[in-house]
Amino acid sequence: SYELTQPPSVSVSPGQTARITCSGDALPKQYTYWYQQKPGQAPVLVIYKDSERPSGIPERFSGSSSGTTVTLTISGVQAEDEADYYCQSADSSGTSHVVFGGGTKLTVL
Amino acid sequence: EVQLVESGGGLVQPGRSLRLSCAASGFTFDDYAMHWVRQAPGKGLEWVSGISWNSGSIGYVDSGKGRFIISRDNAKNSLYLQMNSLRVEDTALYYCAKDIWFREHWPKGEDYGMDVWGQGTTVTVSS
């Protein structure tokens, strides 16, 4: 079955730039979505269509794509950005399936 | 305000059934696909099932095929998940989520993303 691979953890100091990657063979053919989940809360969409930002999401969140890897970039990381981040894409085989990456824990030092 | 409210979770024995519901408000429900996503304790997100705006397209996670049935009632703005033959490994917080794309107007082929999430309902399968 189709899989998306994320690093388990990323750590940065406040004000620095955090980059979280997501890899998958079908990513060149499908858009990727990114979700932020804080403890005890439901996930929140922070990036859609690889690089678009929903209304209300701070400009420091951005997304990019290159081949089979997509990247969520958080510029000028703030303490409130500490959370789990998940990438998600659709299975390109036409099965109406959706796949999530395993998640990345962002720690703000 | 766009809102999704799940209900129907609880404690159930292995092999039994449970029906989850999701009540939607604040948007035109029958214009969007809907999804169920679960999260086992301490684990990541797992997509469980999805249904298109007109119920014409349905998908399930492999572990749910033959056991789970997703449905929707557009007249009642409601989404459902019938879960049969429940297993201990089905224990999780189950979220209802709205798809971002209007009536499958995908920018480049079949695509799904979730822009609104409920707070979830907990399912515990244990003897």
Side-chain angles (χ1 to χ4, degrees):
Chain A
S1 61
Y2 182 50
E3 292 184 355
L4 297 176
T5 301
Q6 299 180 234
S9 62
V10 169
S11 299
V12 296
S13 299
Q16 290 190 328
T17 297
R19 295 181 179 85
I20 300 173
T21 59
C22 174
S23 299
D25 290 341
L27 290 184
K29 295 180 284 187
Q30 300 289 146
Y31 281 123
T32 303
Y33 303 77
W34 288 96
Y35 304 89
Q36 176 194 66
Q37 186 181 34
K38 296 181 179 180
Q41 297 184 19
V44 172
L45 179 69
V46 294
I47 293 290
Y48 68 99
K49 275 180 68 180
D50 290 349
S51 60
E52 302 290 326
R53 200 172 50 249
S55 61
I57 300 301
E59 292 184 5
R60 63 180 181 274
F61 288 87
S62 63
S64 60
S65 175
S66 179
T68 58
T69 299
V70 295
T71 302
L72 172 68
T73 301
I74 310 172
S75 304
V77 166
Q78 301 181 7
E80 67 196 51
D81 299 329
E82 184 164 290
D84 293 323
Y85 291 85
Y86 296 90
C87 61
Q88 174 255 304
S89 185
D91 188 330
S92 63
S93 62
T95 58
S96 300
H97 282 197
V98 170
V99 179
F100 284 94
T104 298
K105 169 65 176 178
L106 175 65
T107 299
V108 181
L109 301 172
Chain B
E1 178 191 8
V2 178
Q3 194 172 14
L4 299 171
V5 179
E6 303 92 337
S7 61
L11 173 63
V12 63
Q13 293 179 328
R16 304 298 290 266
S17 298
L18 209 57
R19 189 193 196 208
L20 306 184
S21 299
C22 171
S25 60
F27 66 100
T28 305
F29 181 74
D30 56 8
D31 280 338
Y32 295 91
M34 296 294 294
H35 304 272
W36 288 100
V37 176
R38 68 184 177 185
Q39 187 167 36
K43 302 298 184 181
L45 302 175
E46 181 183 37
W47 177 80
V48 174
S49 183
I51 184 169
S52 62
W53 62 279
N54 61 356
S55 302
S57 181
I58 286 175
Y60 299 98
V61 65
D62 286 349
S63 63
K65 289 178 182 176
R67 299 191 300 126
F68 294 172
I69 301 172
I70 191 172
S71 62
R72 62 189 297 161
D73 185 336
N74 287 344
K76 295 183 177 180
N77 290 345
S78 293
L79 175 72
Y80 306 100
L81 185 68
Q82 176 69 41
M83 301 189 295
N84 302 318
S85 303
L86 281 162
R87 305 167 180 168
V88 171
E89 54 265 35
D90 294 319
T91 295
L93 180 61
Y94 283 73
Y95 293 104
C96 165
K98 169 189 168 290
D99 198 83
I100 192 172
W101 299 110
F102 172 83
R103 294 202 175 194
E104 299 176 349
H105 287 192
W106 302 311
K108 60 170 184 178
E110 187 174 9
D111 199 9
Y112 303 100
M114 299 155 213
D115 63 347
V116 181
W117 295 65
Q119 287 302 307
T121 186
T122 299
V123 173
T124 303
V125 184
S126 174
S127 55

